[in-house]
Amino acid sequence: MLGGAWQTRPPFIMAYTVLARKYRSQSFDDVIGQEAISQTLKNAIRTKRVAHAYLFTGTRGVGKTTMARILAKALNCLKYDEPTESPCCKCESCIAVNIGEDIDVIEIDGASNNGVEEVRRLRENAIYRPARARYKIYIIDEVHMLSTSAFNALLKILEEPPDHVKFIFATTDPNKVIATIQSRCQRFDFSNINVNKIAEQLRKILESEKIKYEDDLVVSVARMANGSMRDGLSLLDRLIAIGKEPLNVDLIEQFLGCPNSQKIAMLVKAVSENDAAAVLRSADDLLSGGLSEVQLVDALVDFMRDLMIVKSAGADSDLLILTSQQRQIVNGLSGKFDLAAIVYSITALEKNRWTIKNSETARALLETLLLRLTLSEHFLNIEQLANTPVSGESKTVKKKPITNSGSEPILQNTNNSAAETASLPAISDINAIKENWNGIVEAIAAELGGATAGLLKRAEPLDLNDSVFTIALDSASKLLCQSNGRLEQIQSVLSRHFSKQILLKLQTAEQDKNTGGQNRNKTSSQKRNEILNDPAVRTVLTGLGARVVNIED
């Protein structure tokens, strides 16, 4: 009795082990996403070529410290008489390394022990042999935080270390590790872990923990991890702590601040339909739900990236990390954009991300950016403009109306039929073609537009051999004729009107070849004039009423 009260022992409370520690890889074969590094280290152990110092680099949570511990266990496992590729993980040394309490494997935090005095003590202690294991191993995490003087104090022992000492450095910023240190280490760069591998590991853990879940949640958490297994496990820990089953994507939106993919899809759909009011309403819905302006920008970039993959590689591409329902939604929306518009949108979002993040009027800037993307659907891309006659309205391009909550379209759709094509003169020989070249070009312009005709107008017919028709152009015009399927279109028009298959062969004009070396010596004024007189550039300037702001090589 003390102070009038019985002193009772507090009840024992079992500590919870977070998933990142509980499911930490224990051997080289368990490591996820870094198979190449694991195999290299195993080969080094098997061939007795283990280096005295290693530098592990990579973003957070990709397995640097885990790999360092596995290597330490492999070198010091007491079950075997020599270093092994497969540590037992049961001996006294392996268990002590796992919990970070081995007397011969010293883990040092470089951020809090970054001075020269700490490194001097390390050097003084390194000369003593290990207490029970084969090697004394120093694992220095975040080694880039060491001061310059501390790095310099390491140089001598790294250059001529005792036989019983091994160093393993880990860092997220290798550029801050001085070159003289890096040159004394074997460097391994840890890559971000594939999203599919993270998702697969999350499924295994949930099943092992006997927690019910929806597959949509696993895919979303894996994407949020950004290549870091530890981040993915930490996010999963937070969701499990909510105490609701089955785990689903609604919990992610509610408790982790992740944007709802369906709401993002609705926003992108409004952008594709040029509905300015719906865009602003969708953005307000997402922001009111707790999403920050920068998070919304990031979510849009991810969604636009998925659209870009679908347009480029198809909806079944392995590059898409989506559920079947999400894949279907993205595939449906991809038809509302051309690839140029998607690339422009991603570029615009990323370019303005930093400004929005650091602005006091972030919402206004975000809404302005979203409206710019909405209106950008009315910008003609180069392929459309190339099919637009310079002197008149396009006969093939359709502009979508800008809608505003039920109001009449500001810009109506056009659906004009193709103009009657002028008759082409009969081809008898190359001389006849040369005499009637202007008429041939005008007939082509009636079908393919002024841009294509402008490229051919300066061409010189050279030869007609059976069905092979050869013309000469300057190098820039030749390149434009060969792009975007324009050459096939010209051949089709010629073949149809002359009732024979025409194969168009393009050659670089002799004058252009002879002046190739002189082009490098042209003044900037001469280059500017040539660019401004280029048929494609003139078409763009005339078709859009644009002006040249800057010219870059």
Side-chain angles (χ1 to χ4, degrees):
M1 179 179 293
L2 181 64
W6 290 98
Q7 298 299 305
T8 59
R9 186 174 181 177
F12 176 74
I13 300 175
M14 183 174 291
Y16 172 69
T17 304
V18 296
L19 297 178
R21 292 182 58 197
K22 185 176 181 180
Y23 292 94
R24 195 171 203 164
S25 301
Q26 299 299 314
S27 67
F28 289 117
D29 295 332
D30 293 339
V31 176
I32 298 172
Q34 313 297 343
E35 290 79 7
I37 297 176
S38 295
Q39 189 60 48
T40 302
L41 293 175
K42 286 169 65 177
N43 293 341
I45 294 171
R46 184 173 63 253
T47 59
K48 296 180 174 56
R49 293 181 177 275
V50 179
H52 66 274
Y54 290 94
L55 177 62
F56 293 165
T57 73
T59 57
R60 67 186 186 278
V62 294
K64 300 184 299 298
T65 306
T66 296
M67 189 74 79
R69 286 186 174 184
I70 293 173
L71 179 58
K73 288 189 294 183
L75 294 176
N76 282 347
C77 182
L78 299 177
K79 182 179 178 181
Y80 301 95
D81 295 331
E82 60 182 8
T84 176
E85 304 170 44
S86 305
C88 69
C89 299
K90 295 180 180 179
C91 68
E92 187 178 354
S93 176
C94 289
I95 294 174
V97 171
N98 276 339
I99 62 178
E101 295 180 356
D102 190 78
I103 58 176
D104 294 323
V105 179
I106 302 96
E107 295 191 27
I108 300 173
D109 176 26
S112 56
N113 298 276
N114 57 2
V116 67
E117 291 300 326
E118 286 83 355
V119 174
R120 284 175 179 167
R121 282 197 294 270
L122 181 153
R123 288 174 54 186
E124 292 171 357
N125 294 328
I127 62 174
Y128 301 107
R129 299 194 64 82
R132 64 183 175 190
R134 300 180 192 90
Y135 297 100
K136 179 173 286 188
I137 301 173
Y138 289 93
I139 300 175
I140 303 182
D141 198 13
E142 298 302 334
V143 70
H144 66 272
M145 298 293 288
L146 295 184
S147 64
T148 302
S149 56
F151 274 130
N152 290 330
L154 268 177
L155 289 178
K156 187 62 177 177
I157 193 170
L158 279 181
E159 190 171 32
E160 298 177 359
D163 293 338
H164 60 270
V165 174
K166 302 290 183 184
F167 290 96
I168 305 175
F169 304 130
T171 178
T172 56
D173 194 351
N175 294 326
K176 292 184 179 179
V177 180
I178 62 176
T180 48
I181 292 290
Q182 294 198 38
S183 66
R184 289 166 168 81
C185 302
Q186 280 193 15
R187 173 170 168 171
F188 289 95
D189 293 313
F190 286 63
S191 59
N192 285 353
I193 302 173
N194 183 274
V195 177
N196 288 324
K197 292 184 178 180
I198 295 177
E200 182 181 353
Q201 179 69 0
L202 295 180
R203 292 188 186 97
K204 290 180 179 178
I205 291 173
L206 286 169
E207 291 169 3
S208 176
E209 296 288 322
K210 295 180 173 56
I211 296 174
K212 297 178 181 179
Y213 66 95
E214 294 179 2
D215 196 60
D216 290 5
L217 170 123
V218 173
V219 174
S220 298
V221 172
R223 294 188 65 169
M224 291 177 65
N226 289 323
S228 170
M229 181 62 74
R230 186 173 65 234
D231 284 3
L233 294 176
S234 297
L235 290 170
L236 190 60
D237 249 330
R238 290 171 61 184
L239 291 171
I240 293 173
I242 296 170
K244 294 184 179 180
E245 290 189 37
L247 301 179
N248 55 50
V249 290
D250 293 337
L251 297 178
I252 296 179
E253 179 185 8
Q254 184 177 355
F255 292 96
L256 301 186
C258 176
N260 186 299
S261 60
Q262 291 185 344
K263 290 184 179 181
I264 294 294
M266 289 176 60
L267 174 57
V268 174
K269 183 174 183 291
V271 170
S272 71
E273 294 174 348
N274 316 118
D275 192 341
V279 167
L280 294 178
R281 285 196 301 270
S282 296
D284 178 70
D285 186 24
L286 286 161
L287 295 173
S288 299
L291 206 64
S292 70
E293 288 82 3
V294 174
Q295 286 176 320
L296 180 51
V297 170
D298 292 340
L300 284 171
V301 169
D302 288 340
F303 197 96
M304 287 292 181
R305 183 258 181 189
D306 292 337
L307 289 176
M308 181 176 65
I309 297 300
V310 171
K311 294 290 289 187
S312 303
D316 297 329
S317 172
D318 294 336
L319 298 173
L320 287 173
I321 312 299
L322 301 171
T323 63
S324 56
Q325 182 181 5
Q326 291 172 339
R327 197 178 291 259
Q328 185 177 358
I329 292 173
V330 172
N331 189 35
L333 285 174
S334 66
K336 298 178 178 291
F337 294 89
D338 61 27
L339 190 57
I342 297 172
V343 172
Y344 167 78
S345 299
I346 294 175
T347 305
L349 288 165
E350 181 58 32
K351 185 176 181 180
N352 289 274
R353 183 185 185 280
W354 188 89
T355 304
I356 292 174
K357 182 179 180 180
N358 294 277
S359 173
E360 295 182 359
T361 57
R363 176 157 184 164
L365 288 177
L366 174 62
E367 291 172 339
T368 302
L369 175 59
L370 293 176
L371 290 181
R372 186 195 305 175
L373 299 183
T374 304
L375 297 177
S376 70
E377 284 295 295
H378 299 273
F379 300 158
L380 295 178
N381 62 30
I382 296 300
E383 290 184 10
Q384 292 174 321
L385 192 60
N387 292 324
T388 307
V390 176
S391 58
E393 187 180 358
S394 170
K395 298 176 178 58
T396 58
V397 177
K398 296 180 181 180
K399 291 186 177 181
K400 300 176 184 177
I402 302 177
T403 59
N404 190 1
S405 301
S407 61
E408 290 298 320
I410 299 174
L411 184 62
Q412 298 293 338
N413 287 342
T414 60
N415 190 20
N416 299 332
S417 59
E420 293 295 329
T421 305
S423 299
L424 293 179
I427 290 183
S428 57
D429 54 35
I430 189 62
N431 292 327
I433 294 176
K434 290 181 178 179
E435 292 175 1
N436 296 281
W437 183 241
N438 288 336
I440 294 174
V441 172
E442 291 176 4
I444 293 174
E447 285 202 37
L448 302 182
T452 302
L455 296 173
L456 296 176
K457 197 166 186 178
R458 295 189 296 173
E460 178 186 358
L462 296 181
D463 184 40
L464 177 64
N465 184 6
D466 193 13
S467 61
V468 180
F469 180 30
T470 306
I471 63 174
L473 307 98
D474 61 81
S475 56
S477 298
K478 178 183 175 183
L479 183 62
L480 289 171
C481 277
Q482 292 173 327
S483 64
N484 298 325
R486 188 173 286 121
L487 181 62
E488 291 76 10
Q489 294 174 354
I490 299 171
Q491 289 179 158
S492 177
V493 173
L494 294 174
S495 300
R496 186 167 62 254
H497 286 279
F498 294 118
S499 301
K500 62 184 297 188
Q501 187 65 34
I502 298 296
L503 179 62
L504 190 59
K505 184 178 180 181
L506 306 180
Q507 288 187 359
T508 305
E510 287 298 324
Q511 181 181 4
D512 189 54
K513 290 180 180 177
N514 296 334
T515 59
Q518 300 174 7
N519 287 337
R520 290 188 292 270
N521 299 323
K522 290 179 180 178
T523 64
S524 58
S525 177
Q526 289 173 323
K527 291 181 180 179
R528 181 181 179 86
N529 289 335
E530 285 188 2
I531 292 172
L532 294 179
N533 289 325
D534 185 276
V537 176
R538 291 174 62 185
T539 301
V540 172
L541 296 178
T542 306
L544 295 180
R547 64 184 180 87
V548 176
V549 177
N550 187 30
I551 296 175
E552 296 181 2
D553 290 336

